[in-house]
Amino acid sequence: MPDNQHLVVSSGWYGESRVSIYKFDFEDCSFEETFKEMNEKQYFAEGLTRVGDKLLQFTWREKRIVVWKIEPGMNKLTHEINKTFPRFNKIVQGWGAAAQKVGEQTLVWVSDSTSVLKAFDPKTWKHHSELPLFFANGTAIQFMNEMEIIPEND
């Protein structure tokens, strides 16, 4: 997260989905939950990624993106809106999510239980590109979930 001292977690199950912020104490090597907000009961929360001062939390089957605003100091998130996945964006289900800066543009990569990662522009949700996933033996990698983008070293 912004200061390398906070971990934001999306945790899912119908009626129990939530987003939480944990602050890491380097001296004690411990986490303290500093914020927790439950999602609406009809949503099964899944992937979470940051784009600017927003967190995008994806739901499993409901085709929704819950948008949270990061408040100064990382002490709180404010719920802004529940967006519906546009019909044209090819997402089957919302699983994992990771944002990637490509020059001046940001892309959000989404996994959806298929063997293809899909990239979108988070402002318009226009489909940008796809990346098929395969093991070295050529077998498709299904059910990719947790994702992180590791920036290249300059």
Side-chain angles (χ1 to χ4, degrees):
M1 291 315 300
D3 58 9
N4 295 322
Q5 293 180 341
H6 293 90
L7 174 67
V8 182
V9 175
S10 172
S11 177
W13 194 257
Y14 290 108
E16 298 177 27
S17 291
R18 68 181 191 209
V19 61
S20 300
I21 299 175
Y22 295 89
K23 183 165 182 171
F24 186 68
D25 183 325
F26 287 94
E27 287 185 26
D28 295 340
C29 196
S30 62
F31 282 99
E32 175 190 357
E33 187 177 54
T34 59
F35 175 83
K36 176 173 88 173
E37 183 78 27
M38 301 300 290
N39 291 96
E40 295 175 44
K41 293 181 186 235
Q42 72 266 29
Y43 297 132
F44 188 126
E46 280 281 352
L48 180 77
T49 194
R50 180 179 181 198
V51 176
D53 68 344
K54 309 273 192 253
L55 291 173
L56 307 177
Q57 184 183 34
F58 290 76
T59 63
W60 179 32
R61 293 183 173 163
E62 296 79 29
K63 297 188 181 276
R64 299 275 188 201
I65 305 164
V66 182
V67 180
W68 300 91
K69 180 175 181 359
I70 303 169
E71 297 298 339
M74 283 294 301
N75 296 322
K76 183 179 176 186
L77 302 174
T78 302
H79 178 255
E80 286 197 343
I81 192 169
N82 294 342
K83 292 185 168 194
T84 302
F85 293 167
R87 278 186 233 131
F88 58 81
N89 75 4
K90 301 183 180 184
I91 298 175
V92 177
Q93 299 175 359
W95 282 39
Q100 177 186 28
K101 198 82 163 131
V102 180
E104 294 299 311
Q105 182 179 22
T106 298
L107 297 176
V108 173
W109 289 90
V110 179
S111 66
D112 64 357
S113 82
T114 68
S115 63
V116 179
L117 297 180
K118 296 161 180 91
F120 301 91
D121 177 332
K123 293 178 184 170
T124 63
W125 288 101
K126 182 178 177 187
H127 180 262
H128 181 273
S129 54
E130 296 184 351
L131 179 65
L133 303 173
F134 296 96
F135 289 107
N137 67 4
T139 305
I141 300 173
Q142 300 274 352
F143 312 117
M144 179 66 67
N145 196 343
E146 306 304 324
M147 300 188 306
E148 291 292 327
I149 303 290
I150 300 171
E152 294 181 35
N153 293 334
D154 293 351

